[in-house]
Amino acid sequence: MKKRLLIQLAAILCFLLPLGAACRAEAAEEPKVLLLYDSLGAGTSKEGNVEELKRLLYAFRLSVTVKPLQSYEAGDLADYNRIISIRNAPDLSSLWTKTDFAADSSSYNGAWMHIGAEPPQRISNGLQLGLRNGRPGALELSDGRFRQRFLTKEPISYAFQMKAGTAEYGELASEPEGWSAPYGISDGRYAYVPYYVRGDLSKIAISGVLKGWLQMGRQGSTYLMFTDVYPFSDLELLRRMADDLYNSGFPFLISARPVFSNEEYPAMKRYLETLKYVQNRNGTVLVQTPAVYSAISGSNPLLNTQLERFLDTLIAGGIAPLGIGAELYWANDGLFRAEGLSFFDSAVLFPNKKPMPRAPVNTSQPFRSSPYMMELSDLQQYDQTGLSLGAFPMDTALAAAMPETQKEWQEMLPLLEERWMTIADYKNTPHSVHTRRYYVQSEGGILKVNGSTVALGNAYAEVKSKHVYQEANAQSLTTLFSWQNKFFIVVIVLSLLVFAYFYYIGRRLYKRKYMKQGESI
């Protein structure tokens, strides 16, 4: 009887477990985000905020489709469970109220976050918002870690009233007008942020609102990164930096530029040995994308071949790269994604400097890991509110270009030590890089290549400078011409001696004749 009861209980559990798993899967539905904007804000303070938000969403590992509101087509909202709307242009309000988007959004039941003035009625009702307009002028923004004062040229809406239980993020205040309000608010379904630009603290403050709205509980890690390391950089300085950071207890990343030729040159070997030394001193090597000089469309299979060859060269030399550093447009380009980034599941995306897209796409595919890159120098613009920096809402890479001189480095290192930052080791989280020959992975601080642990050492191997840069061509008549040269040299020297001898004899004869003529006179 007991045995039959146990069998029945097991059958019930087998039936319920898949059902429970399906329910959990439905509850944890993957966010599908549509980012809509009315204007890129060119020539205004809001220029670049759409691009900055795209980089931030990569750090939250989301698939995002980005569209200008003018390109919206009826029915598009049906494919997404979350909307982010950015209003950059006050004079384009009709795009939000008298288009296909307005009609679709009236029946939309997904989550919605609005950035900028005049939130949609649906968000205002959902959050029970009461808004007032602050006058342009001096404002202070705080996100819990930093505080910054700045000036605005436009009025900013602030919430003085909201639904009970709504989460508040940061603080926005005007000392002249005597008001303070939450910077952003969210109830998990609706969220509102009145102000977001690229050049101040709001680019960081908005990350807390996003994290709450996306209902992500994972705490972010902070990394330290140095970019633009070249074979012709001061490699001795780079080794000294690695020693100083190791002694100070800072794990770090470097983003190294690839080399596609002349791997046998001593300069290249010194470059590889230095990267290996950096890895041995608790550094992590990322590959930085090569410079792009043309936006001409079309496939470039040579990029894939050359990058794979460089990765193989690194790995064969005992270096285990764990990701790539690239400008944002690489991740939003079909060709660059396929031919340049396909070796990596982790990336640090830089702000675009001079985008050269080949096949741009409007839907991004997330990486396994993509820390938000923030310039280390940005920290100097903000007042730190606590003794310790604290963690950011998302993975963050505090980045600086590699110093060019020892003096620059000696000025930078104390700033790192004074910040009381908790810097994470990039190798402690899973990352992988694969080529046809090698599979590199990290987890728990261990580096592996094709399943074997990478051995770490301490010493730097000196590279000798002797190298034959060009082999001499075979010359069949070299000996003959060599003897001819010697023969003619001897003939010329003898001729000069004979000429000198006759010159000397002639001079004496002429002198005697002249002296005799003088005596006769």
Side-chain angles (χ1 to χ4, degrees), residues 42 59 80 85 94 110 121 141 211 245 272 383 405 433 452 473 493:
Y80 306 94
S85 53
S94 61
Q121 194 63 42
L141 174 61
K211 183 178 180 179
L245 291 166
L272 295 178
D383 297 324
T405 64
V433 175
S452 300
N473 295 326
V493 171

Side-chain angles (χ1 to χ4, degrees), residues 66-251:
V66 182
K67 281 187 176 184
L69 198 56
Q70 296 87 334
S71 299
Y72 181 86
E73 297 179 359
D76 280 352
L77 281 185
D79 298 328
Y80 306 94
N81 52 28
R82 291 185 179 269
I83 308 172
I84 300 175
S85 53
I86 301 182
R87 183 167 183 176
N88 284 335
D91 57 336
L92 296 178
S93 58
S94 61
L95 291 177
W96 301 101
T97 58
K98 298 179 181 179
T99 58
D100 290 333
F101 171 76
D104 288 351
S105 63
S106 63
S107 58
Y108 176 71
N109 292 318
W112 192 345
M113 177 178 183
H114 182 75
I115 301 169
E118 299 182 27
Q121 194 63 42
R122 194 177 188 87
I123 292 180
S124 295
N125 293 341
L127 294 174
Q128 299 176 17
L129 274 179
L131 297 178
R132 292 188 180 127
N133 284 331
R135 291 195 300 267
L139 293 176
E140 182 177 279
L141 174 61
S142 172
D143 74 335
R145 288 171 301 274
F146 302 107
R147 180 180 292 109
Q148 185 185 31
R149 293 177 176 86
F150 55 92
L151 295 173
T152 63
K153 297 180 180 180
E154 301 175 359
I156 292 180
S157 300
Y158 63 92
F160 69 91
Q161 173 184 307
M162 68 205 73
K163 182 175 64 176
T166 301
E168 302 178 11
Y169 301 88
E171 183 183 57
L172 195 60
S174 170
E175 186 174 344
E177 295 187 63
W179 59 262
S180 66
Y183 167 71
I185 56 177
S186 173
D187 67 353
R189 181 177 182 185
Y190 298 115
Y192 175 58
V193 174
Y195 170 82
Y196 176 55
V197 300
R198 184 178 193 171
D200 62 27
L201 184 58
S202 62
K203 69 179 184 180
I204 304 173
I206 199 172
S207 61
V209 189
L210 274 171
K211 183 178 180 179
W213 178 64
L214 293 167
Q215 301 179 25
M216 293 186 172
R218 178 182 173 274
Q219 193 68 28
S221 298
T222 304
Y223 305 105
L224 180 61
M225 181 176 183
F226 297 94
T227 63
D228 298 309
V229 176
Y230 295 85
F232 49 81
S233 298
D234 188 340
L235 300 181
E236 183 179 351
L237 174 58
L238 181 57
R239 295 193 294 273
R240 191 176 299 117
M241 289 170 57
D243 289 335
D244 291 343
L245 291 166
Y246 181 79
N247 294 331
S248 298
F250 285 125

Side-chain angles (χ1 to χ4, degrees), residues 81 86 129 165 266 293 297 345 443 453 469 484 490 504 512:
N81 52 28
I86 301 182
L129 274 179
Y293 297 103
S297 61
D345 69 356
E443 191 164 4
T453 302
Y469 288 93
Q484 281 184 340
V490 171
Y504 176 74
R512 286 178 183 178

Side-chain angles (χ1 to χ4, degrees), residues 488-504:
F488 284 119
I489 289 172
V490 171
V491 170
I492 292 170
V493 171
L494 290 176
S495 300
L496 290 173
L497 290 174
V498 170
F499 175 78
Y501 175 74
F502 282 119
Y503 173 78
Y504 176 74

Side-chain angles (χ1 to χ4, degrees), residues 61 345-347 366-370 395 430-432 439 442-443:
R61 306 172 189 180
D345 69 356
S346 300
F367 292 92
R368 185 181 195 177
S369 169
S370 183
D395 290 345
H431 309 279
S432 65
Y439 179 73
S442 74
E443 191 164 4

